[in-house]
Amino acid sequence: MRVRALLTAAMLLTVAACTGGHPTTPDQVSLTWWDHFTHSPMADQAVDHLLARYQREHPGVRVERRSMSPEEFRDALVRATAAGTFPDVAAVDSPDLPRLAGQGALADLTGRFADWPLTDRFLDPVRESATHDGRFYGVPLRSTTTALVYDRAVFERAGVTGPPATWADLRATARALTGGDRAGLCFPAAGEDLTTTFLPVLWQAGGDVADLGAPAGVDALAHLRGLVDDLGAPADLPGWSADEVARRFADGRCAMVVAGPGSIPVFNQAGLDWAAVPLPAGEAGTATALGGQTWVVGRGSGHVDQAWDLLAWLAETRDNATEFGGGLGALPNRTDTVDDLAWQWDPNLAGFAGPLATARSRTAYGARYAEVSAVISGAVADVLAGRREPAEAASGAGAEVGRLLG
């Protein structure tokens, strides 16, 4: 008996070591959770806090979290989808939802949304970001936008009275603030970040992805090209990620940047006197792209009820605003949270949150969005580098995108 007791104790210690000190009990349900928040210590810690709180309040559930880099996460989802081993819960980038739903990897949550009080409280574009072909496949728990961020001190020294509101104002202001080793304007220009920079400009010009080769597409490309050529943008700007742009602004190398709320901690830690406003308007007005993650449930999960309960708890519990806001850089994305003081985690939040109600979701471009984005970012990169003229790039990319969208 003593030997058996020792063996049992050893086994429990081994299990505890593999699960962070929380051994599984026979009546516990274990949920697998995947995300890609390791790139940010604050975001990583926020998710840990959320899951720890949930498990304290729901001792019958244990969440096994696996967090990866964005590249590892994408590869892992591809393999899991092909093998039928998709996790119980995953935090996927919203534009990826249509592809995963189309591949049969995600549980259809439409019936649960039909009876959920929060369904109609999500802002329209936010709610759309969780759907594919009219069906709900996820819960949009983290929403973001991009805005124009500017350094008040630089503006004051240059005698510029306020931020630009139109394309023409943007060019004039950027020109006035460019000098020495400081650029008037910087923006993300690498991969998907470049697509997310370009799409609002395209929409502001009155165009859309389906008619990229039309005059509005040419105008949008020419506008970005002009900002690089005429306004002293850094020569190595093509290829900058959103994180790189935030660092350059924090270092005083850019007077204005296009950025999202995830960069707020970087700006604050640098001690800058900064503000955020909606992106300057083109002929068709202002526009911004909806970003963030949608939490999805694997179609093959044996614990869909428990996974849904976890996601509903994350959305419904007001105390979670601290982690979603300051930790994950998320915006209040429902009518009942827009003015909630619990969500006012930074004084400059309004510049990002204000445009959220009219932001555009990239899920509208369907299951082949990743391919569409690669075509767009490639064309924009060619224009910024001077390899192709705007009209040529718009025509070529428009034809290729047309084939992808069918």
Side-chain angles (χ1 to χ4, degrees):
M1 294 293 291
R2 175 177 169 78
V3 172
R4 181 179 299 174
L6 289 172
L7 288 174
T8 300
M11 290 174 64
L12 288 173
L13 287 171
T14 300
V15 171
C18 294
T19 59
H22 301 285
T24 304
T25 60
D27 58 345
Q28 265 189 329
V29 168
S30 181
L31 296 178
T32 53
W33 167 295
W34 291 6
D35 66 50
H36 54 87
F37 296 124
T38 54
H39 67 286
S40 165
M42 289 181 64
D44 195 43
Q45 186 179 58
V47 175
D48 277 343
H49 284 173
L50 286 167
L51 296 183
R53 185 183 304 134
Y54 180 80
Q55 290 173 103
R56 285 196 301 270
E57 296 181 17
H58 301 79
V61 177
R62 182 170 66 96
V63 183
E64 298 177 345
R65 182 188 178 207
R66 179 185 176 192
S67 191
M68 299 160 264
S69 70
E71 295 76 17
E72 291 171 329
F73 180 77
R74 284 191 292 269
D75 291 343
L77 286 185
V78 169
R79 292 193 299 270
T81 299
T85 56
F86 205 88
D88 294 304
V89 178
V92 304
D93 291 334
S94 297
D96 291 334
L97 183 143
R99 173 178 54 82
L100 293 169
Q103 292 172 338
L106 309 183
D108 188 334
L109 304 176
T110 306
R112 299 171 191 272
F113 270 84
D115 300 324
W116 195 27
L118 266 58
T119 299
D120 293 333
R121 298 180 192 174
F122 285 105
L123 301 174
D124 288 345
V126 174
R127 188 167 54 249
E128 178 188 345
S129 72
T131 65
H132 174 61
D133 286 344
R135 310 290 294 179
F136 283 97
Y137 287 96
V139 178
L141 292 178
R142 179 178 181 264
S143 299
T144 65
T145 61
T146 54
L148 183 72
V149 174
Y150 66 99
D151 189 322
R152 286 194 183 99
V154 172
F155 271 56
E156 184 177 350
R157 289 195 298 268
V160 179
T161 57
T166 67
W167 283 12
D169 292 341
L170 179 64
R171 294 177 68 85
T173 303
R175 187 175 294 111
L177 298 177
T178 297
D181 61 354
R182 185 188 65 232
L185 173 71
C186 302
F187 52 82
E192 177 62 19
D193 286 344
L194 180 54
T195 301
T196 307
T197 294
F198 174 73
L199 284 177
V201 178
L202 176 63
W203 301 328
Q204 291 160 12
D208 204 350
V209 169
D211 57 358
L212 188 59
V218 178
D219 290 345
L221 287 168
H223 175 60
L224 284 184
R225 171 76 168 269
L227 291 174
V228 171
D229 287 351
D230 301 341
L231 305 178
D236 59 341
L237 183 142
W240 284 12
S241 66
D243 290 341
E244 177 69 12
V245 169
R247 287 193 293 269
R248 297 293 183 114
F249 182 71
D251 291 341
R253 300 289 300 277
C254 306
M256 299 181 289
V257 292
V258 175
S263 297
I264 288 178
V266 177
F267 303 155
N268 289 341
Q269 289 164 12
L272 299 177
D273 180 14
W274 65 277
V277 294
L279 297 172
E283 184 176 329
T286 188
T288 188
L290 178 70
Q293 285 74 40
T294 301
W295 270 252
V296 299
V297 178
R299 183 181 179 184
S301 171
H303 307 294
V304 175
D305 288 341
Q306 291 84 356
W308 169 260
D309 182 77
L310 168 57
L311 297 181
W313 177 88
L314 288 170
E316 294 169 359
T317 306
R318 187 172 183 266
D319 289 348
N320 292 341
T322 300
E323 278 75 26
F324 277 109
L328 290 169
L331 301 176
N333 58 12
R334 302 196 313 258
T335 56
D336 59 327
T337 60
V338 168
D339 297 318
D340 188 341
L341 292 179
W343 275 94
Q344 307 309 308
W345 52 274
D346 188 89
N348 288 307
L349 194 68
F352 299 99
L356 190 59
T358 56
R360 299 198 190 186
S361 171
R362 287 162 287 165
T363 55
Y365 299 127
R368 304 192 73 176
Y369 172 74
E371 297 167 80
V372 169
S373 175
V375 172
I376 291 174
S377 63
V380 180
D382 283 348
V383 169
L384 295 183
R387 292 187 291 267
R388 286 195 286 175
E389 291 301 312
E392 177 192 359
S395 176
E400 194 167 350
V401 167
R403 288 193 294 272
L404 289 171
L405 294 179

